[in-house]
Amino acid sequence: MIIGAHSNPDRPRGDHGLVPLINVVFLLLAFFMIAGQIQRSDAVRVAPPVSISETVPAVGRLELVVVTDGTVYLEGEAVPLEELVSALTASNPDGRDILVKADADLEVTRLEAILEELLRAGASRAALATTPNPS
């Protein structure tokens, strides 16, 4: 009986480079899953107003998100407007700057009421987040 090259059970048959390729694909998948979670997302999505300013907000600010209906989220948790002063005082003892992310469709009177609450809480500096003008 003649033993051919294909009858050796210890020798792998074709696709011998497929296992390392699968390993690379899984490593890339794991890398992009980890790298994609670096920035914390907001509790709710808002569409900030458009601005011509190109100033980038500083890192480490306290984030206040305001939805169109006036609901306020402080660092991702919903806070009633009546309790905003106490919540700001408790979560901002070191006096960090506050970044206000308000929806573009929010009524100005509601935004004014929230900014007044920031003043009552003793906020020294607050910035309104905007999106750059595409033109």
Side-chain angles (χ1 to χ4, degrees):
M1 177 175 186
I2 298 176
I3 299 176
H6 293 291
S7 64
N8 186 352
D10 294 334
R11 184 173 178 176
R13 295 185 180 181
D15 295 337
H16 51 74
L18 191 60
V19 173
L21 179 64
I22 292 171
N23 289 342
V24 169
V25 168
F26 278 115
L27 286 173
L28 287 172
L29 178 66
F31 170 76
F32 285 113
M33 286 175 58
I34 293 169
Q37 297 297 323
I38 291 176
Q39 186 177 8
R40 179 180 57 111
S41 61
D42 295 328
V44 290
R45 290 201 177 268
V46 293
V50 176
S51 171
I52 59 171
S53 174
E54 294 183 9
T55 305
V56 178
V59 178
R61 290 185 176 185
L62 193 67
E63 288 190 4
L64 189 73
V65 179
V66 187
V67 189
T68 306
D69 65 357
T71 307
V72 179
Y73 292 86
L74 179 62
E75 292 294 309
E77 294 187 25
V79 176
L81 189 59
E82 301 80 30
E83 298 174 14
L84 185 59
V85 174
S86 60
L88 279 169
T89 307
S91 63
N92 195 18
D94 53 353
R96 291 184 291 168
D97 292 348
I98 299 172
L99 178 63
V100 179
K101 292 182 177 180
D103 197 281
D105 295 330
L106 180 70
E107 294 178 14
V108 175
T109 54
R110 289 188 180 194
L111 182 60
E112 284 181 28
I114 292 166
L115 294 177
E116 287 175 7
E117 294 297 314
L118 292 178
L119 285 174
R120 286 186 45 217
S124 58
R125 294 182 61 186
L128 182 63
T130 57
T131 56
N133 193 352
S135 58

